[in-house]
Amino acid sequence: MSDSSADIRYLRFLKPNGELDKDAPTGSHDPNEIADLFRRMLELRVFDSKAINLQRTGKLGTYPSWYGHEAAQVGVAAAMKKEDVLAPSYREGGVMLCRGVSMAEILLYWGGDERGSDFAVPRDDFPYCVPIATQCLHAAGAAMAFQHRGESRCAVAVNGDGGTSEGAFYEAMNIAGVRKLPVVFVVINNQWAISVPVAAQTSSSTLAHKAIAAGIEGVQADGNDIVAVRHCMREALEKARKGGGPTLVELITYRLGDHTTVDDAGRYRQQDEVDTASDLEPFIRTRKYLASKNIWDTQLEEQFLEQCTNNIEAAVNNYLATPKEAVEQMFNHMYAEMPESLLAQRAHAIHFCDTDKD
């Protein structure tokens, strides 16, 4: 078991000035590969901005932006294999899109339609989890099933810094550590759990140190460094796949926007703090690196953003054109055999909806 004074590894390869360390992992020195990841990051940012605009105009419900998390989300997804399983929190729409969930499905969910959780791809991934940290238990359970079946698959639970204060987070790590389950617990530390800063949540030196209590490895990476995130996740997943047990990965970034569209972060954060974090956000360094390799420029970015915008507008039109489900659908899949009390409620709801149509 790890000693409480153990050092936690911290990984950063792509510096804020856009310089890639010569010691960066094999496969990270191909600028075309980094450009592909950068395009995914750009697509996520454009989609995120569009979703916020839809909420502001009454076409979407409350929405949790991932502004500033793009490198963390793309890096996690890029390291996972198709057969692995994701257990996201409510902010991991970017990971989900990279895993194959469609934009229209994401919009359907935040528009209040549960059909958005019935992904065409990937069928085994878990849907959004709005309760805090319970997805960690889901991931541990899935990993236990993989282990029992002898499958070479891993589960990945993604959590925020606030979720590390929840009992479910510790419970999941505990059972995963005891049984050496093939699971990776990712904490995207964006410094704020709604209006509570990390310093007011824990006295732990780092959130990665919380792995010590479960007897598992903890590691940190710069969450704004797409190279470090992908490498850190690849290491953790490969170890888990080979029977080496779970890892807690803390990705350090910053939530540049509001917690959700019903939040006003200006009430509890200082603007100079946000400005400082903005100087370190993932796009600046990645763009500088690609420009230094002469494979990215303003013209290419404008062309790609136009393509992204067209694809996103098509997804929005698809979402807005989707007919609403009948009211009885909220009752139809709760039980194999619906109890009398719900049958009565269902009939009541149908009656009043039909009355409203008249």
Side-chain angles (χ1 to χ4, degrees), residues 289-348:
Y289 167 74
L290 295 174
S292 73
K293 300 300 179 180
N294 297 316
I295 65 167
W296 197 260
D297 57 30
T298 302
Q299 183 178 359
L300 282 173
E301 185 160 327
E302 288 176 353
Q303 291 172 353
F304 182 73
L305 289 175
E306 182 179 359
Q307 177 186 332
C308 284
T309 300
N310 292 337
N311 291 341
I312 291 166
E313 287 299 332
V316 170
N317 292 335
N318 185 3
Y319 155 63
L320 294 175
T322 302
K324 292 183 179 180
E325 282 201 305
V327 68
E328 59 265 29
Q329 284 297 100
M330 75 173 77
F331 300 93
N332 288 349
H333 305 289
M334 295 183 69
Y335 294 91
E337 296 182 13
M338 197 178 301
E340 289 294 329
S341 58
L342 278 185
L343 284 170
Q345 290 182 39
R346 181 176 180 273
H348 190 73

Side-chain angles (χ1 to χ4, degrees), residues 6-251:
D7 290 332
I8 296 294
R9 284 192 303 143
Y10 175 79
L11 302 179
R12 173 192 283 167
F13 301 110
L14 187 58
K15 300 175 184 178
N17 65 3
E19 179 184 344
L20 185 66
D21 277 354
K22 62 181 180 180
D23 296 328
T26 304
S28 299
H29 293 273
D30 181 358
N32 291 301
E33 189 175 318
I34 305 303
D36 287 340
L37 297 174
F38 184 62
R39 289 186 186 94
R40 294 312 306 261
M41 290 164 56
L42 279 171
E43 183 179 52
L44 295 192
R45 181 158 290 189
V46 177
F47 178 87
D48 190 58
S49 177
K50 182 63 177 181
I52 292 171
N53 290 338
L54 288 171
Q55 191 278 333
R56 299 304 190 207
T57 55
K59 297 176 182 177
L60 205 67
T62 299
Y63 173 78
S65 169
W66 56 67
Y67 180 35
H69 293 203
E70 293 87 358
Q73 299 212 6
V74 172
V76 168
M80 295 177 68
K81 292 186 176 182
K82 183 179 179 180
E83 62 268 24
D84 293 335
V85 165
L86 173 71
S89 77
Y90 49 80
R91 203 181 299 280
E92 272 66 64
V95 186
M96 294 161 70
L97 287 172
C98 292
R99 294 274 295 158
V101 177
S102 74
M103 295 177 186
E105 287 169 334
I106 297 285
L107 294 172
L108 272 175
Y109 177 83
W110 293 113
D113 192 328
E114 282 292 347
R115 286 176 294 180
S117 295
D118 187 17
F119 320 134
V121 178
R123 294 298 292 173
D124 286 348
D125 279 9
F126 288 86
Y128 278 112
C129 188
V130 176
I132 307 300
T134 53
Q135 74 274 14
C136 298
L137 292 168
H138 303 157
M144 191 181 297
F146 301 155
Q147 186 183 73
H148 178 71
R149 295 171 183 168
E151 297 176 349
S152 181
R153 305 171 70 186
C154 295
V156 175
V158 188
N159 203 30
D161 47 280
T164 66
S165 300
E166 291 286 335
F169 174 74
Y170 292 97
E171 292 160 9
M173 283 203 303
N174 185 65
I175 189 64
V178 168
R179 300 201 177 193
K180 286 196 170 183
L181 298 179
V183 59
V184 178
F185 299 103
V186 181
V187 176
I188 298 184
N189 180 0
N190 66 20
Q191 312 303 316
W192 289 90
I194 309 183
S195 58
V196 180
V198 171
Q201 297 177 55
T202 181
S203 61
S204 182
S205 301
T206 72
L207 298 182
H209 273 89
K210 295 194 174 192
I212 295 170
I216 68 176
E217 181 185 5
V219 61
Q220 284 185 315
D222 184 340
N224 295 329
D225 174 358
I226 184 66
V227 177
V229 174
R230 185 181 62 169
H231 178 68
C232 185
M233 286 298 299
R234 279 178 171 174
E235 279 192 331
L237 286 164
E238 187 62 22
K239 183 187 78 172
R241 222 178 294 281
K242 292 180 176 179
T247 304
L248 171 59
V249 175
E250 179 186 1
L251 303 177

Side-chain angles (χ1 to χ4, degrees), residues 343-355:
L343 284 170
Q345 290 182 39
R346 181 176 180 273
H348 190 73
I350 293 171
H351 170 75
F352 277 96
C353 280
D354 288 342
T355 301

